Amino acid sequence: MEPLPTENLCSFCSEITIESIFDHGHQPSIEALQRSSGTCPLCQLIYEAIEPSLDVQTIDSGRKTPREANLPIVLQGQSTREVASALTDKQWRWQNIRISMVAGSARPQLGEISPYVREDDPLALAGHILGRSVSYDPGSERTLQLAVSLINRCNNTHRECWRPPTEDPSQLPKRVIDVCPGGSKSRVRLHDSVVRSGEYTCLSHCWGTVDLVKTTPENQEKMKAGFALDTLPKTYRDAINITRGLSIRYIWIDSLCILQGPAPNPDWEEESLKMGAIFQNSFCTIAAAAAENSLGGCFAARTPPSQIVALRCQYRKDRQVGTVYFRSAFQNWRQGPLDKRAWTLQESILSIRVLHFREDQMMVECSQGITGENGHQYESTNTVRTLPLLSHFTGGHTVNIKEHRRRLHSAWSRTINNFTMRNLTYETDKLPAIAGLANEIQRLTGDKYLTGLWKSCLSRQLLWYGVGLSKPSTPRAPSWSWAALNGKTIYSKVLIHQAWGEHESEIQLLSTPTKATGNPGRLHLAGKLVAASISTNIRLGKINLHDLVTEDGQSIGFAILDTPQGLPLTCQALLVSAHCKPKASTSLNNLNVLLLGRKTTDPGLNYVRIGVGFVCPRLGVFADRPVDEVHII
């Protein structure tokens, strides 16, 4: 779309320079900004950006809305992480412009707009403005060329993203799709690789509810002979054309490269265990982030901004003059359908680099962060990907587990928080969908994986809880694992303090489960038990807290049940860990407990987990308790 004419810019907007964007005083009030928006196109853009927050957000300790406060407006440029300070001798390199209100010493943010320049503009060549224009045809040659350029730059210059030789550095998966058999552009074929090597891409996509083109035991020979490209759904065709644009011959697509069919399906059982490694060893993963199913394609239709304002702007230091365009701000990471699918989380984390085709732009993500088609740099949303310990999984670096263990398992906990929010078509996939990531962490660290938890920090990892959890139709994990239940699992710093302050384990692991791959396993622990009962519902937001009471009626703390149960409820409270405030190791802050119930159908001494809780240490409830052996299944 054409930029709006700028003859009618107000005096505040017409005085904007590259330097002044750092802290540019604008209209003296919300009311003045609204009046000016009737004639000044840039004021109109600014007012539209902040209007949604004017009557919702609160300032002045929550007493007034921004509209009621009616305070002065200021524009503040947001630079990249490469620039330590906009006040140093380094260049200004602006991404978004934050629109804030001057409330005393505070600057509450009300909205953002995005500046950009054309590629051949003097301000672009000098690097003052990072923003670039985005094509409204996501499948254009320009967009693909930019994707190829960004991926090649990563491959050629990012040491952390380079995959060093291994035993078999470029072994293809068991099956891949040959995107140019015999040089043909209109046909593709299923390639049974066996011992063949070569680079390949992977497709990360949503299956949806539509019928997929699949390879089955019955049609696999026909698929190997080749088939027309136009018989595939749009997402597959787009991914194949992107792979060709990257000059790569093979692509791995799950429904075509794993034999599909009813259970038992030996090929799926074998290949699904390799999926983490398949994505990890690919040259690039193509993420159809905006498509709800295979018909949506990689190139989602883009909606142009409602208006664009052009402004001639000067960088006074070197007297360069160029044209800066202003538009509504890009969303840093708007969730798309792919972000809601459980399987795709490990696909994204384990891939060396991911080419995201999102709703509003193309992005390339690697261990160095995310570069958008709009020229902006973003921090990776992946907490595990950004850890020095695992930067990058595929880099093959040696790991000092003692040095990085706490950060690793804290990141794993946050990853599980994310993973359990996502959707699974089949309940039984809960553990397989994260197994590739677990296998790689286990390989790098030597830690033992226990059905979703880690042996080295078991006392922390046992302390999960959830909101709205429910039991699956078929048991798939022991009760002590978050994988035993459906719904969002939470590892919280606030309620359970699993990563806050000093942590001291109060349990001893006597033996580990013999089956830690998803089948119920017995956890054999030694620890202190106190008989208690759970009663009185105390709601805290979405969480149902319950009073935890000893047999003699003493209230000792609070409980969170895994699933709703009738009250009062008797249980055993197992002391798992003690926490103290930072720099005050002698002052205990909390005692964390697992709440255990008897397994009524088991004649032995087995318990099942029913929840977690925390106990006030000053009461000395566990002080004189003996250490007992506990079996939890």
Side-chain angles (χ1 to χ4, degrees):
M1 68 179 289
E2 290 299 317
L4 293 176
T6 57
E7 291 83 1
N8 296 326
L9 286 180
C10 70
S11 60
F12 295 104
C13 290
S14 60
E15 292 174 358
I16 291 175
T17 66
I18 297 297
E19 293 95 336
S20 72
I21 295 176
F22 173 65
D23 200 352
H24 183 78
H26 200 253
Q27 294 287 350
S29 66
I30 297 291
E31 189 177 63
L33 176 64
Q34 186 174 9
R35 282 198 307 269
S36 181
S37 68
T39 55
C40 173
L42 187 49
C43 280
Q44 181 184 355
L45 182 66
I46 293 170
Y47 183 76
E48 289 180 354
I50 69 172
E51 189 174 23
S53 66
L54 292 182
D55 300 308
V56 177
Q57 192 171 325
T58 58
I59 61 172
D60 191 21
S61 301
R63 290 191 291 268
K64 292 181 180 179
T65 66
R67 193 186 299 277
E68 291 169 339
N70 205 30
L71 295 171
I73 299 298
V74 64
L75 307 182
Q76 297 176 296
Q78 294 175 280
S79 62
T80 70
R81 63 178 183 273
E82 298 173 8
V83 182
S85 168
L87 299 179
T88 67
D89 291 334
K90 296 183 180 181
Q91 294 177 335
W92 278 267
R93 304 186 72 195
W94 303 122
Q95 293 202 146
N96 280 347
I97 294 176
R98 181 186 296 120
I99 307 163
S100 303
M101 177 175 276
V102 181
S105 60
R107 299 289 179 91
Q109 181 176 339
L110 304 181
E112 290 180 337
I113 56 176
S114 289
Y116 68 89
V117 292
R118 302 194 188 281
E119 285 80 355
D120 57 353
D121 191 280
L123 296 177
L125 299 176
H128 301 316
I129 301 290
L130 286 181
R132 299 292 182 267
S133 60
V134 170
S135 172
Y136 299 112
D137 176 10
S140 67
E141 187 65 25
R142 175 194 170 206
T143 302
L144 184 57
Q145 287 179 354
L146 177 60
V148 171
S149 173
L150 292 173
I151 288 171
N152 286 339
R153 184 178 71 182
C154 168
N155 188 50
N156 295 330
T157 65
H158 293 172
R159 181 175 177 272
E160 295 83 355
C161 301
W162 175 69
R163 183 173 63 243
T166 60
E167 293 180 5
D168 201 350
S170 55
Q171 176 66 50
L172 291 173
K174 184 177 181 180
R175 302 180 193 89
V176 288
I177 299 298
D178 185 344
V179 303
C180 295
S184 172
K185 296 292 185 181
S186 61
R187 293 181 66 80
V188 295
R189 72 179 180 92
L190 182 67
H191 173 69
D192 193 345
S193 47
V194 187
V195 295
R196 187 127 176 219
S197 62
E199 288 186 320
Y200 64 96
T201 64
C202 284
L203 174 63
S204 181
H205 67 113
C206 290
W207 283 39
T209 56
V210 300
D211 289 334
L212 289 172
V213 177
K214 302 174 183 177
T215 300
T216 65
E218 293 75 26
N219 73 358
Q220 65 172 318
E221 293 305 319
K222 181 180 177 181
M223 301 291 275
K224 289 178 184 178
F227 50 95
L229 179 62
D230 60 15
T231 62
L232 293 175
K234 189 174 188 307
T235 300
Y236 293 13
R237 298 197 306 271
D238 288 347
I240 286 170
N241 286 325
I242 293 167
T243 300
R244 290 171 173 172
L246 292 169
S247 301
I248 292 177
R249 181 161 183 176
Y250 302 107
I251 185 171
W252 186 90
I253 301 175
D254 46 13
S255 73
L256 300 180
C257 299
I258 299 178
L259 298 185
Q260 307 295 312
N265 182 343
D267 193 71
W268 187 90
E269 292 171 3
E270 175 187 349
E271 292 300 299
S272 65
L273 294 177
K274 302 176 185 176
M275 286 178 66
I278 289 172
F279 280 88
Q280 180 183 351
N281 293 325
S282 69
F283 177 78
C284 174
T285 291
I286 299 164
E292 295 184 354
N293 55 50
S294 61
L295 303 180
C298 294
F299 310 127
R302 295 175 181 173
T303 304
S306 58
Q307 63 172 304
I308 298 173
V309 181
L311 176 66
R312 294 290 288 173
C313 210
Q314 183 182 28
Y315 182 49
R316 292 172 183 156
K317 185 174 182 179
D318 53 17
R319 300 184 180 279
Q320 290 175 328
V321 178
T323 301
V324 180
Y325 300 88
F326 297 88
R327 54 153 290 167
S328 54
F330 284 89
Q331 299 296 321
N332 284 4
W333 198 268
R334 180 182 298 158
Q335 270 214 338
L338 198 64
D339 303 309
K340 300 173 185 176
R341 186 177 172 226
W343 276 98
T344 63
L345 181 59
Q346 71 169 6
E347 295 171 3
S348 174
I349 292 174
L350 288 170
S351 299
I352 291 180
R353 54 191 72 87
V354 183
L355 177 55
H356 299 274
F357 286 92
R358 306 193 74 82
E359 182 181 340
D360 55 357
Q361 65 170 315
M362 174 273 296
M363 293 177 162
V364 173
E365 180 178 14
C366 67
S367 66
Q368 299 298 287
I370 301 170
T371 301
E373 183 181 347
N374 63 353
H376 290 191
Q377 306 290 321
Y378 305 97
E379 294 289 346
S380 176
T381 57
N382 248 314
T383 55
V384 177
R385 178 189 287 280
T386 57
L387 280 178
L389 168 64
L390 301 172
S391 181
H392 191 276
F393 282 139
T394 48
H397 308 299
T398 57
V399 174
N400 183 337
I401 182 59
K402 290 184 179 179
E403 179 183 351
H404 295 292
R405 182 172 284 159
R406 175 175 291 192
R407 295 183 64 194
L408 165 63
H409 291 116
S410 178
W412 172 264
S413 299
R414 294 193 299 273
T415 299
I416 296 306
N417 291 350
N418 183 340
F419 174 74
T420 56
M421 291 174 59
R422 296 175 174 230
N423 302 323
L424 284 167
T425 303
Y426 303 104
E427 287 184 340
T428 52
D429 285 354
K430 188 95 169 186
L431 285 164
I434 200 74
L437 178 58
N439 289 342
E440 184 62 11
I441 293 176
Q442 184 168 256
R443 183 186 70 81
L444 283 171
T445 65
D447 205 351
K448 188 172 181 61
Y449 182 60
L450 304 174
T451 323
L453 282 60
W454 294 98
K455 178 182 176 182
S456 67
C457 59
L458 186 62
S459 59
R460 290 177 182 268
Q461 301 245 309
L462 283 168
L463 298 173
W464 54 267
Y465 69 98
V467 177
L469 299 180
S470 62
K471 294 181 179 180
S473 55
T474 303
R476 63 182 172 226
S479 67
W480 43 265
S481 170
W482 53 262
L485 300 173
N486 294 333
K488 180 183 177 180
T489 299
I490 302 171
Y491 281 102
S492 170
K493 294 182 181 180
V494 178
L495 288 177
I496 305 301
H497 303 279
Q498 67 91 22
W500 186 89
E502 297 299 322
H503 175 97
E504 183 176 344
S505 175
E506 298 287 345
I507 56 173
Q508 181 183 356
L509 180 62
L510 299 179
S511 65
T512 57
T514 55
K515 295 181 179 179
T517 58
N519 294 323
R522 178 180 298 181
L523 198 60
H524 187 192
L525 303 174
K528 295 182 177 182
L529 290 168
V530 165
S533 64
I534 301 167
S535 62
T536 315
N537 186 13
I538 308 169
R539 192 161 185 83
L540 178 63
K542 295 181 179 180
I543 301 169
N544 282 321
L545 290 180
H546 303 276
D547 196 14
L548 190 61
V549 181
T550 60
E551 288 181 316
D552 59 6
Q554 181 185 19
S555 179
I556 58 173
F558 297 98
I560 304 174
L561 291 173
D562 292 340
T563 57
Q565 301 197 41
L567 300 177
L569 178 68
T570 58
C571 67
Q572 292 286 328
L574 172 65
L575 178 59
V576 172
S577 63
H579 283 85
C580 57
K581 296 178 180 180
K583 301 179 182 180
S585 58
T586 59
S587 175
L588 286 178
N589 181 65
N590 236 18
L591 299 178
N592 296 324
V593 297
L594 271 190
L595 303 177
L596 308 176
R598 287 286 190 187
K599 186 168 178 58
T600 55
T601 58
D602 192 330
L605 297 177
N606 292 323
Y607 290 95
V608 292
R609 172 188 155 131
I610 60 173
V612 293
F614 43 102
V615 171
C616 177
R618 293 191 299 273
L619 300 177
V621 176
F622 291 97
D624 300 322
R625 301 301 301 175
V627 174
D628 294 315
E629 290 191 26
V630 181
H631 299 268
I632 312 173
I633 60 175

